[in-house]
Amino acid sequence: MKIDDAATRLEALGNRTRLQIYRALVRAGQPGLPVGRLQDKLKIPASTLSHHIKSLVAVGLISQVRESTTLVCHANYDAMRGLVDFLVSECCADETECKDARTAA
């Protein structure tokens, strides 16, 4: 992952509401959550939710799929793993006494 991509995704998650949305979708697992259910769960106005979902979709952290009349949001687990891997990929790389920590990450 490029540092600019990581920074963009982290910036999106740096907003409290977007982080709440993202965590709810990660918790929901592969089935995801319909937008209406996500709104009820987080007590967010529809227009606010839509704005924040759009931001998370734009950076590739979530996706939306229309299932009949329902719009369902899903966490992009590959993007999440890529971001976490980027953050820990060089853990302790410059520390001479901690060579095992790098391979454990």
Side-chain angles (χ1 to χ4, degrees):
M1 175 176 291
K2 296 178 183 175
I3 195 161
D4 289 340
D5 295 333
T8 300
R9 289 179 175 164
L10 289 169
E11 182 179 3
L13 292 173
N15 176 281
R16 184 181 194 277
T17 303
R18 286 192 288 269
L19 185 57
Q20 287 178 308
I21 293 166
Y22 190 67
R23 290 189 72 200
L25 293 174
V26 168
R27 287 179 58 97
Q30 295 297 334
L33 283 174
V35 171
R37 190 157 162 227
L38 190 56
Q39 182 184 1
D40 291 342
K41 182 180 185 77
L42 300 176
K43 308 291 188 244
I44 299 172
S47 60
T48 302
L49 181 61
S50 177
H51 165 76
H52 289 296
I53 287 173
K54 183 178 177 182
S55 296
L56 292 168
V57 168
V59 298
L61 288 170
I62 69 172
S63 62
Q64 291 183 303
V65 177
R66 181 158 300 279
E67 296 177 4
S68 185
T69 60
T70 305
L71 195 56
V72 180
C73 297
H74 301 271
N76 180 340
Y77 292 99
D78 288 337
M80 179 182 70
R81 285 184 198 98
L83 183 56
V84 171
D85 288 348
F86 173 81
L87 292 172
V88 299
S89 66
E90 295 184 20
C91 178
C92 305
D94 294 336
E95 186 178 346
T96 57
E97 296 176 22
C98 188
K99 293 295 182 193
D100 293 334
R102 192 170 25 155
T103 58

